[in-house]
Amino acid sequence: MAMTALEEPAASAIPAGLAPAKVNLSLRVLGRRSDGYHELESLVAFGRHGAADRVSLSPGGPLKLEIEGAGARKLAGESSNLILRAADAALTIEPRLTLGTFRLVKHLPIAAGLGGGSANAAAALRLIRDANPHLAKGIDWSALAVSIGADVPVCLMSRASLMTGIGERLQPLAGFPPVWAVLANPGQPLETRAVFNALSAPPLAKVPGVASPPRFPDLDALIDALAGQPNDLQPAATQLCPIVATVCAALVRLDGALLVRMSGSGPTCFALFAAAAHAEAAAAKLRFVEPGWWVEPVALG
């Protein structure tokens, strides 16, 4: 049965202000819906160590956002930052909420296919919830997350899940095996809308039934399953941003890489590894070969 993001007990397993990278291990586009959105089916995991933004909230005073780190100047000029959108949406539902100054320390690349903005919004919602315990139970946080963006609900949960619909239907995965990844981004942003437009998905033939969450008894089972479940956005993203193919080719050459593909709408790509030492050694090698790329080894879960 699908669960809402804050009903799932493990949702509190990560610190409220941590905004980890979201990695789409698979991403099937089932068709374009009549409302213009796309029906998706995606196996999603999150970085457990490293590869994360951090958000904090100092309660009290007017609502504002301070940003530092990579891309801070660009983000500061965006009036639609998802942290502020999340705060405004929460206030619309419950005007008595205490907010204040949010501070974002940006580490993840922007427009990278890692759900950074959605993860920031999810962290903001968790911080608002924790700062207002007397009002939190009266708010449907999952519905609020959906209203902000399609990836915000799964980022609110921040654990390996099967994500369907436009992202609002979530089924946490039981027994997700230990797996490590090297994430690589070449520094060229890629807009999600442009990738979907290039895909030109056909209209959705019929509303799919509720998919059962897969079970992976070990890493071999996960790799075998992913081999038959590609990222349908990768060809369109590569057409718009040919360096995606270059990044994937570099990852394939790394010792111990079990599976390589693009995450989300790109251009970040990843390689999966069986051990942390393999991922760390591969990341060090790739940083040496491509010093201009953003490269991070992460545990996934």
Side-chain angles (χ1 to χ4, degrees):
M1 182 174 68
M3 306 187 73
T4 58
L6 287 178
E7 289 173 344
E8 168 57 36
S12 60
I14 67 167
L18 189 68
K22 172 188 66 66
V23 180
N24 294 89
L25 298 175
S26 66
L27 202 168
R28 308 310 310 271
V29 181
L30 305 182
R32 189 179 68 255
R33 306 184 342 173
S34 58
D35 59 7
Y37 290 98
H38 290 78
E39 189 78 13
L40 307 175
E41 184 175 306
S42 180
L43 186 63
V44 176
F46 290 83
R48 284 300 174 217
H49 302 286
D53 294 338
R54 293 187 177 273
V55 184
S56 60
L57 170 62
S58 298
L63 172 62
K64 63 179 181 177
L65 172 63
E66 298 174 350
I67 307 173
E68 66 177 63
R73 182 174 300 178
K74 178 180 179 181
L75 287 173
E78 293 185 359
S79 59
S80 59
N81 183 280
L82 286 181
I83 291 176
L84 295 178
R85 191 184 303 176
D88 287 337
L91 278 177
T92 298
I93 292 173
E94 177 48 86
R96 295 174 295 173
L97 288 170
T98 296
L99 299 183
T101 300
F102 287 93
R103 181 168 175 263
L104 167 62
V105 181
K106 187 69 180 165
H107 297 293
L108 299 176
I110 300 169
L114 295 174
S118 296
N120 295 161
L125 291 180
R126 290 192 295 266
L127 291 166
I128 294 169
R129 177 199 61 188
D130 290 356
N132 295 270
H134 58 301
L135 299 172
K137 291 185 178 181
I139 297 174
D140 185 339
W141 295 95
S142 293
L144 179 57
V146 172
S147 73
I148 299 164
D151 278 345
V152 180
V154 75
C155 290
L156 195 59
M157 186 180 291
S158 285
R159 61 171 291 188
S161 304
L162 178 66
M163 182 176 73
T164 57
I166 64 170
E168 81 283 11
R169 297 197 298 270
L170 305 174
Q171 299 182 74
L173 301 183
F176 191 74
V179 61
W180 288 262
V182 171
L183 308 179
N185 181 282
Q188 295 186 18
L190 189 55
E191 292 186 0
T192 299
R193 179 175 297 183
V195 176
F196 274 101
N197 287 342
L199 178 67
S200 298
L204 184 67
K206 64 177 182 179
V207 177
V210 177
S212 299
R215 292 181 176 271
F216 306 110
D218 53 34
L219 181 55
D220 287 341
L222 174 63
I223 298 299
D224 288 345
L226 291 176
Q229 296 288 322
N231 183 341
D232 289 341
L233 294 179
Q234 188 164 335
T238 304
Q239 177 185 349
L240 295 173
C241 187
I243 199 171
V244 167
T246 303
V247 177
C248 284
L251 290 169
V252 166
R253 291 192 292 268
L254 297 176
D255 293 338
L258 301 174
L259 180 137
V260 170
R261 67 172 47 137
M262 186 183 79
S263 175
S265 58
T268 302
C269 303
F270 64 88
L272 298 183
F273 294 85
H278 297 165
E280 289 167 357
K285 179 179 179 179
L286 188 56
R287 286 182 181 131
F288 178 79
V289 174
E290 297 290 351
W293 291 3
W294 178 88
V295 177
E296 286 291 335
V298 294
L300 296 179

